[in-house]
Amino acid sequence: MARLQLDDIDWHRGEVTIRGKGGQDDVLPLPVEVGEAIVAYLRDARPASSSRAVFLTALAPIRPLSSDGVALVVRRACGRAGVSTIGPHRLRHTLATETLRAGAPMAEVAQLLRHADQATSSIYAAADVSAVAALATPWPEATDE
């Protein structure tokens, strides 16, 4: 989100272009609630600037929000919510893990995280130990003694 530009949002089509590493661009649907939140920010909270970046720092010098700035926003939101402090990377891990727990295949998790390789996504998706244990079968020579 730190790299999101005003021109990346197609308001008429309800889409947003997400620009990723290695020149990977994806056009995704823009949910109405997200669009409304962005409009409210642009109208009521975004500092005046000629920058085409959507998100700007709140304090001078006004400049596009960096990835470190996004991490700070997440940490402050945790504090306001009274929950343990986490960063954006932990949010990605949680998203991947919870999506798998809900029954989605790894291919879907990879697509959600915008990874070309499912192996990369598996790093983000922590295994649910109890779910894995339920799949395990006893060793053939094992006894209950």
Side-chain angles (χ1 to χ4, degrees):
M1 299 301 9
R3 290 189 250 170
L4 188 64
Q5 300 290 306
L6 293 169
D7 300 325
D8 292 334
I9 302 171
D10 184 334
W11 298 105
H12 296 289
R13 296 182 70 146
E15 297 175 338
V16 61
T17 300
I18 304 298
R19 304 193 187 282
K21 295 177 184 176
Q24 177 185 348
D25 294 349
D26 292 310
V27 178
L28 303 173
L30 181 65
V32 172
E33 299 83 10
V34 174
E36 289 172 348
I38 292 172
V39 167
Y41 165 75
L42 293 173
R43 184 182 48 227
D44 303 327
R46 184 179 185 269
S49 172
S50 62
S51 173
R52 300 299 294 164
V54 172
F55 299 108
L56 304 175
T57 57
L59 303 174
I62 302 300
R63 60 184 180 271
L65 191 62
S66 66
S67 57
D68 287 341
V70 171
L72 182 59
V73 168
V74 171
R75 286 187 191 96
R76 286 184 177 165
C78 290
R80 286 191 311 273
V83 298
S84 298
T85 301
I86 60 169
H89 202 71
R90 172 58 72 193
L91 292 176
R92 287 179 63 84
H93 279 271
T94 301
L95 175 66
T97 301
E98 293 303 318
T99 302
L100 281 172
R101 283 185 185 154
M106 185 57 73
E108 189 173 312
V109 173
Q111 183 180 15
L112 186 61
L113 295 177
R114 301 178 63 241
H115 289 154
D117 185 359
Q118 290 182 33
T120 304
S121 298
S122 67
I123 295 167
Y124 281 80
D128 181 344
V129 176
S130 61
V132 172
L135 299 173
T137 56
W139 193 257
E141 291 86 31
T143 62
D144 290 336
E145 297 175 17

